[in-house]
């Protein structure tokens, strides 16, 4: 009887160890898969944002702003807004696209494929202040925040 109990305990321990090892393997595999998916998505978003930021009308906006040619600033802003509207139409995964100056003044706000000239104040947010402190070539991934227009993340 003792021998049967000892064998049963031994088999139980081996089975438990095998199950634990399989669970660990599957969790590691799933975690690696999720990490790779998130990394790929971050790179895709970075590419989309780079496309947005290298827009010639963005460069013109800041060039005219620096030399205080305000009529041209507004023309460049309007052209930038049109270009961002086109990007928003092509990228429905971004229900809101906004561009702010470093002083927090809004330049473009596209929400639900419509331009709006209402801007939330970004200067009190972690994402805005963290972005201001980035070094060249780095990026910042913020936590999830509710969009004021939709009250959804």
């Amino acid at each position: 009887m003792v021998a049967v109990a000892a064998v049963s305990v031994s088999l139980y321990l081996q089975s438990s160890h095998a199950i634990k090892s399989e669970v660990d393997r599957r969790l590691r595999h799933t975690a690696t898969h999720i990490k790779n998916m998130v990394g790929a998505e971050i790179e895709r978003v970075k590419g989309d944002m780079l496309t947005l930021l290298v827009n010639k009308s963005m460069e013109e906006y800041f060039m005219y702003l620096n030399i205080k040619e305000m009529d041209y600033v507004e023309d460049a802003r309007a052209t930038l807004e049109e270009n961002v509207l086109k990007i928003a139409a092509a990228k429905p995964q971004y229900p809101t696209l906004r561009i702010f100056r470093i002083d927090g003044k809004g330049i473009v706000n596209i929400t639900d494929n419509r331009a709006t000239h209402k801007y939330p104040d970004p200067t009190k947010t972690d994402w805005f202040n963290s972005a201001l402190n980035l070094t060249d070539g780095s990026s910042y991934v913020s936590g999830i925040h509710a969009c004021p227009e939709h009250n959804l993340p």
Side-chain angles (χ1 to χ4, degrees):
M1 181 71 103
V2 173
V4 172
V7 170
S8 293
V9 168
S10 175
L11 289 173
Y12 170 78
L13 292 174
Q14 287 175 352
S15 296
S16 296
H17 179 70
I19 291 170
K20 182 183 178 306
S21 294
E22 180 63 15
V23 167
D24 287 348
R25 186 190 69 75
R26 288 183 184 198
L27 283 173
R28 275 192 303 279
H29 175 76
T30 302
T32 300
H33 179 69
I34 290 170
K35 177 185 171 210
N36 292 340
M37 286 175 43
V38 168
E41 183 67 11
I42 288 171
E43 289 304 312
R44 187 187 59 72
V45 170
K46 283 169 70 174
D48 290 347
M49 295 303 106
L50 183 60
T51 299
L52 183 69
L53 294 173
V54 297
N55 192 302
K56 181 144 180 69
S57 51
M58 175 91 76
E59 180 183 336
E60 290 173 352
Y61 173 87
F62 286 106
M63 178 186 71
Y64 290 128
L65 184 66
N66 285 337
I67 61 173
K68 310 241 187 293
E69 289 286 345
M70 300 317 280
D71 287 341
Y72 292 115
V73 167
E74 180 50 31
D75 289 345
R77 193 209 60 75
T79 301
L80 178 61
E81 186 175 80
E82 290 172 16
N83 291 335
V84 175
L85 268 167
K86 289 176 189 172
I87 292 168
K91 303 280 186 175
Q93 65 268 37
Y94 304 122
T96 300
L97 289 170
R98 294 189 186 108
I99 300 173
F100 293 98
R101 297 187 333 203
I102 61 172
D103 63 1
K105 183 176 183 336
I107 301 171
V108 173
N109 183 0
I110 306 301
T111 301
D112 297 327
N113 287 319
R114 291 187 321 263
T116 178
H117 299 113
K118 291 173 51 178
Y119 301 91
D121 180 7
T123 60
K124 294 174 179 52
T125 64
D126 289 338
W127 61 263
F128 185 81
N129 293 307
S130 295
L132 290 178
N133 294 319
L134 290 175
T135 58
D136 286 349
S138 61
S139 59
Y140 172 75
V141 179
S142 72
I144 297 173
H145 304 280
C147 171
E149 290 86 359
H150 302 107
N151 202 26
L152 296 170

